[in-house]
Every structure is written in C-alpha cells, then in structure tokens.
Amino acid sequence: MAFRTILAVTGPHEGDGDLKPAADLCNEIGARLAVLVVAVAAPPPVGEYAAVVSEAWLDERRAVEDLLKKRTADLSAFLAGSVLSADVSSEYPEAGWADDTIGRRARYADITVIGPELLANETLKSKAIEGALFSSGKPLLLIPAGAQPTLKPNAC
C-alpha cells in the first residue's frame, strides 16, 4: 500500500518532537503531511446552577481556543519553511467526541502517526489511539521515544 498522506496528531501543549518523525516519514516516501492539533474540552458545569454558565469555565474555554489558534498558526509557519506539502488543522471537541473527531480526520489520511510527546499525554493519547484504530479504518503507527521509524520495508 502506498501512503500518500500521513496524519500527525498533536496537542496544543506538545512541542515539535512529534512532527519531526512524521515529517521524516513524509520525506522518506514522498508523502503529504497533515497535522491535527487537538485539545479536549472540559465538560460544562452541571447541577442546579447549570442554567448559569460559570465565568471560570468560559474563561478556560477561551484560553484553550486561543492556545489552539496560536499553536496552529505556529505549526503552519514552521511547515511553510519546509519543502513538505503540509496542512494544519485544529479541533476542540468534548471528551466524549474526541475519539470520533480524530477518527473522522484520520479517514482522509492513509496512516496516522502518534509520536512520543503525545504518547506521554494520557488523556489525549487514549482518545487519539481509539479514534485512529476504531473510527478511521486506517493503520496507526505509534512512535516511542528514541525510535527511528520507517515505512520502507527491508529487502531480505
């Protein structure tokens, strides 16, 4: 199977450590890089006071949305300086929908790559793995720290 598009999933708090292995894989096989920046939204307040939305909850949502916009813009600028064909998008789903959101985006790629920084983020790691495995129907490549991944098989 020829991989033409590789999806790299990252979070707004992760660095560029997950993008380098994904970009290296793209350069190795001449594929396009798609980056999805995902933050899992905090659940809304519930209870008898749920009719009045908490200002703290709204402030937190706004801060995360601003962080997502900044991270997306920074990654777009970073990738614009490379020879790779790439695009960056972001999503801010509720926790119950995060795996479906990631899986839906992964359907448009040939393989999803999750790097070591995202693997250290327990919440986002589980949502990304569940979405890529069970909602996309496409392969998933997990890259642990220190690994040198390749998509070219060895000739024996």
Side-chain angles (χ1 to χ4, degrees):
M1 175 181 197
F3 297 117
R4 294 177 168 238
T5 302
I6 295 175
L7 174 66
V9 181
T10 189
H13 300 289
E14 275 69 40
D16 296 335
D18 288 349
L19 296 182
K20 176 146 179 33
D24 290 346
L25 289 172
C26 288
N27 284 329
E28 177 183 55
I29 61 171
R32 184 172 203 289
L33 178 62
V35 179
L36 177 62
V37 184
V38 180
V40 178
V46 294
E48 63 184 72
Y49 297 107
V52 179
V53 177
S54 165
E55 276 298 315
W57 181 76
L58 284 174
D59 290 344
E60 181 183 345
R61 284 191 67 94
R62 286 186 199 111
V64 173
E65 287 171 351
D66 291 343
L67 185 61
L68 270 175
K69 287 178 188 172
K70 181 181 180 337
R71 178 76 170 141
T72 302
D74 290 348
L75 288 175
S76 295
F78 172 74
L79 292 171
S82 72
V83 295
L84 281 177
S85 172
D87 70 271
V88 181
S89 60
S90 65
E91 292 285 346
Y92 189 36
E94 300 292 332
W97 298 103
D99 54 341
D100 289 332
T101 301
I102 294 168
R104 185 176 54 248
R105 180 61 183 91
R107 284 183 213 135
Y108 295 100
D110 296 308
I111 187 170
T112 300
V113 174
I114 298 176
E117 290 183 7
L118 189 69
L119 289 174
N121 180 333
E122 285 302 318
T123 302
L124 198 49
K125 173 183 85 170
S126 65
K127 296 298 182 184
I129 290 173
E130 287 173 21
L133 284 178
F134 303 119
S135 297
S136 75
K138 303 292 176 88
L140 170 66
L141 177 62
L142 301 177
I143 304 173
Q148 297 296 322
T150 183
L151 292 175
K152 289 190 174 183
N154 291 336
C156 294

